[in-house]
Amino acid sequence: MIKFSFIITMFFVVLKSHAVTFTIYDEKQQPLPNTVVWLTSKDNIQPVKPIETPFIMMQKERQFIPHILVVPQHAKVEFPNADSIMHHVYSFSKSKTFELKLYHGQPQSPVVFEQTGVVELGCNIHDWMLSFIVVVDSPFYAITDEQGQVSLNVEHGEYTLNLWHEGFTDFSQVEKETIQLSADRFSYQLKQAVKAIIPIEIDEFDDYE
């Protein structure tokens, strides 16, 4: 009887979570790709668990890949250099200041991101190289696709919806809104304007080694 009761309890817990599709729109009511979306709960029902496997922010073809990386608080991130030339990775961001001086291949140790916030990355050798790591205090996070959508497996209830886009006038700031989830779809329109992101040209003749 105890075993049967345990199975019923576990089945009930699983059923409480729902795949909720979020659609994010800009101030012009257009779906907005590349928006970082994450949910936090005041009850902290599912706290962030440490992830031992490092995340990857690679340098390849004189670019950071991915351009935007979302990681939970206390995550480890490795910065492998897949180029034949050296890179010098750094950040002066408030959430994380660090420097990986000129190197090939794989740095010896990953970088740990202890504080939440937006970390802007650059390369001291290649000015056009720019990327972001968004550190969140939630297990529920994703980046919107070309249709401005993400799917998060969460329970219905009250949350803080957190949003970030590199087109924000101040990209160190996060837009927040208290929401009530009671259905499997949720739409949100940003309150602030999002400026267009102009691609930066790569210097194909840079042969720094």
Side-chain angles (χ1 to χ4, degrees), residues 58-64 79-90 100-107 122-129 203 206-209:
M58 182 177 289
Q59 300 128 65
K60 186 176 181 181
E61 297 178 354
R62 300 178 176 89
Q63 298 181 76
F64 286 110
F79 293 83
N81 179 4
D83 286 333
S84 60
I85 60 176
M86 291 192 289
H87 292 298
H88 183 147
V89 178
Y90 71 93
L100 301 175
K101 295 184 178 180
L102 286 170
Y103 68 96
H104 287 294
Q106 179 77 44
C123 174
N124 220 12
I125 305 302
H126 309 99
D127 293 340
W128 65 85
M129 288 179 64
D203 184 356
D206 179 13
D207 58 354
Y208 185 90
E209 297 181 0

